[in-house]
Amino acid sequence: MKDIVFLGPSLPLARAREICPTADYRAPVQMGDVLRAANERPRSITIIDGFFEQVPAVWHKEILHALDQGIVVLGGSSMGA
């Protein structure tokens, strides 16, 4: 099972790969991304950075859906905090 990380300017990709080299790193999260990621049945979804204002932000219902599926959801930094 994989770990999916939505990453942006808060943590450089090279540094993130040092911390967790096997994760599937993706662009900052926006609405619909967590739902699509949850459908892949990962072990975890981590939200570090996300888009807002210019596109719709991730919806809390997506996160609740992932949690209901037994997926660990973690957050940190900007959007994930």
Side-chain angles (χ1 to χ4, degrees):
M1 289 174 44
K2 64 181 168 183
D3 301 296
I4 297 173
V5 180
F6 292 97
L7 187 63
S10 296
L11 179 64
L13 179 58
R15 177 66 181 122
R17 286 191 195 278
E18 291 174 8
I19 297 166
C20 187
T22 61
D24 178 357
Y25 291 98
R26 301 185 182 183
V29 72
Q30 58 183 300
M31 189 169 70
D33 287 344
V34 170
L35 181 60
R36 283 186 289 278
N39 289 337
E40 297 176 39
R41 306 295 300 159
R43 176 176 47 194
S44 70
I45 298 172
T46 301
I47 300 171
I48 303 295
D49 289 300
F51 290 114
F52 54 95
E53 292 182 5
Q54 67 268 38
V55 297
V58 64
W59 195 36
H60 71 283
K61 293 285 189 173
E62 296 175 64
I63 296 168
L64 293 174
H65 171 73
L67 291 168
D68 284 344
Q69 300 302 309
I71 300 167
V72 175
V73 179
L74 306 164
S77 194
S78 68
M79 181 67 75

